Amino acid sequence: SQQGEEDPQALSIQEGENATMNCSYKTSINNLQWYRQNSGRGLVHLILIRSNEREKHSGRLRVTLDTSKKSSSLLITASRAADTASYFCATAVNNDMRFGAGTRLTVKP
Amino acid sequence: GAGVSQSPSNKVTEKGKDVELRCDPISGHTALYWYRQSLGQGLEFLIYFQGNSAPDKSGLPSDRFSAERTGGSVSTLTIQRTQQEDSAVYLCASSSSSGGRYEQYFGPGTRLTVT
């Protein structure tokens, strides 16, 4: 299965700390994406990293991709209480995408 | 511009009844996905439509589930003879393959409760 698997399942940190979430997958992919979900409803796209890229930044987000290890990490720097949400990685082969079970991040004020 | 919309936002039905869930994707998006998410769980892939190709139905959990996409736009997910384990949030997403972007845009979901 190409489905991503995130770890940890849950992460609790203090505001201002950095949060790191990891994703592993099993098959070759075109790209890997990270999404955020608040309140159990629709997901919001955060960042996409292509299979030929190793690192990408967007604001306080930093994503790395290691295709040899079939793994990715999402780093959120200087976390805020508003970052509390579930974060999902999704692996894509063209438009065929599969999501992992997610990491539940809690940022305490 | 308009995002992905889903209706109804909430649906309560009795066990054994049929339900239809609707998804209106972003105009021009060729790919449409249905997912199911149980409380506190990840997204379970159900079905994927890409243009005029045959849909990937590999995620449908049983033959009580079916989906169609008319005219390459609106999609309907139908669940026949609903069971309590069908209770979940059903999410629809669409994406465009133009420019190789592929990121998905999600609707707000339909929360289905089977009593």
Side-chain angles (χ1 to χ4, degrees), chain A residues 3 30-31 33 35 37 39-45 48 50 56 88 92-102, chain B residues 9-10 31 33 35 37 42-43 45 48 50 56 58 91 95 97 99-104 106-109 111:
Chain A
Q3 187 171 12
N30 293 132
N31 66 70
Q33 303 178 32
Y35 288 79
Q37 183 181 40
S39 306
R41 287 294 181 131
L43 281 70
V44 175
H45 178 262
L48 178 153
R50 300 188 196 284
K56 204 160 184 180
F88 295 87
V93 178
N94 295 324
N95 251 339
D96 188 359
M97 188 175 297
R98 298 290 188 270
F99 286 78
Chain B
S9 57
N10 287 283
Y33 309 76
Y35 299 91
Q37 187 177 33
L43 274 69
F45 166 78
Y48 157 50
Q50 173 59 58
D56 176 357
S58 60
L91 293 163
S95 71
S97 59
R101 293 298 297 168
Y102 304 130
E103 60 255 45
Q104 296 191 356
F106 280 80
R111 185 178 301 278

Side-chain angles (χ1 to χ4, degrees), chain A residues 4-71:
Chain A
E5 297 180 2
E6 295 91 340
D7 87 274
Q9 292 184 335
L11 179 62
S12 181
I13 60 174
Q14 292 295 133
E15 203 165 28
E17 294 180 338
N18 296 341
T20 300
M21 290 160 270
N22 302 296
C23 171
S24 60
Y25 57 93
K26 296 179 180 177
T27 66
S28 297
I29 58 173
N30 293 132
N31 66 70
L32 186 144
Q33 303 178 32
W34 285 90
Y35 288 79
R36 166 192 168 124
Q37 183 181 40
N38 289 57
S39 306
R41 287 294 181 131
L43 281 70
V44 175
H45 178 262
L46 294 177
I47 195 165
L48 178 153
I49 186 165
R50 300 188 196 284
S51 59
N52 61 354
E53 296 176 314
R54 292 296 168 259
E55 187 171 314
K56 204 160 184 180
H57 296 254
S58 176
R60 293 184 296 112
L61 305 180
R62 173 178 166 252
V63 169
T64 63
L65 179 64
D66 187 335
T67 53
S68 67
K69 296 181 179 178
K70 291 186 168 58
S71 67

Side-chain angles (χ1 to χ4, degrees), chain B residues 2-15:
Chain B
V4 177
S5 61
Q6 291 185 246
S7 60
S9 57
N10 287 283
K11 176 71 177 178
V12 180
T13 189
E14 292 181 352
K15 178 181 173 181

